[in-house]
Amino acid sequence: VLPRQDRMVLTTNAKLQEKLNQLVALGAADDKEAFVRAFVPLDLTDEELKDYLDRLKTEDNEWQNLKAEIQAIAEGSNVKRIAGDQVNHVVFHFQHPTLAQCDREVGFDCINDEWRAQG
């Protein structure tokens, strides 16, 4: 695990923060199915959702990295900046919490009052 930055950059949107906290809790419980259903874009087909869930079930490294990224975003650790209006759209720019020199971007869109990962 890489050292964390001293400053934290958190979203200003309470509903988005709630969603991130929910995802962290589901990840901590290793509830992959509930996590995926709460995370993926709403327009994913059932087949696409199943394929993604199956991949996370078989690729533990991908699951661990995803959980670490969501936790870093939720805590604001290693977040360099947040782009977007944080009302309908947001992109977190951050240093991956466990992979050295790996800059990441994760975006979320709010559709019908529901925050989901960008497709």
Side-chain angles (χ1 to χ4, degrees):
V1 175
L2 299 174
R4 291 165 52 155
Q5 292 179 341
D6 289 336
R7 74 182 185 106
M8 310 248 286
V9 180
L10 296 169
T11 180
T12 56
N13 185 301
K15 284 195 172 234
L16 175 56
Q17 188 63 50
E18 286 176 22
K19 171 60 86 167
L20 295 171
N21 293 343
Q22 174 195 26
L23 293 171
V24 168
L26 292 170
D30 267 335
D31 191 340
K32 293 177 182 143
E33 184 167 351
F35 182 98
V36 167
R37 290 190 180 279
F39 177 70
V40 299
L42 292 170
D43 63 353
L44 238 59
T45 66
D46 288 341
E47 184 176 328
E48 290 169 324
L49 189 143
K50 182 186 177 309
D51 288 347
Y52 185 59
L53 179 58
D54 288 346
R55 190 168 81 227
L56 290 179
K57 286 179 177 179
T58 58
E59 300 292 333
D60 190 60
N61 193 43
E62 184 173 349
W63 171 238
Q64 297 304 323
N65 281 330
L66 178 59
K67 290 192 313 180
E69 288 180 356
I70 296 301
Q71 183 167 350
I73 291 168
E75 294 175 349
S77 57
N78 296 332
V79 175
K80 296 174 182 173
R81 69 183 179 93
I82 301 174
D85 62 15
Q86 297 191 54
V87 174
N88 298 305
H89 172 75
V90 65
V91 178
F92 294 90
H93 299 263
F94 62 101
Q95 165 70 44
H96 192 283
T98 60
L99 302 174
Q101 298 181 356
C102 179
D103 290 331
R104 295 281 294 134
E105 293 179 10
V106 174
F108 291 86
D109 290 319
C110 187
I111 300 168
N112 299 327
D113 209 32
E114 176 71 25
W115 283 97
R116 294 301 182 108
Q118 290 177 343

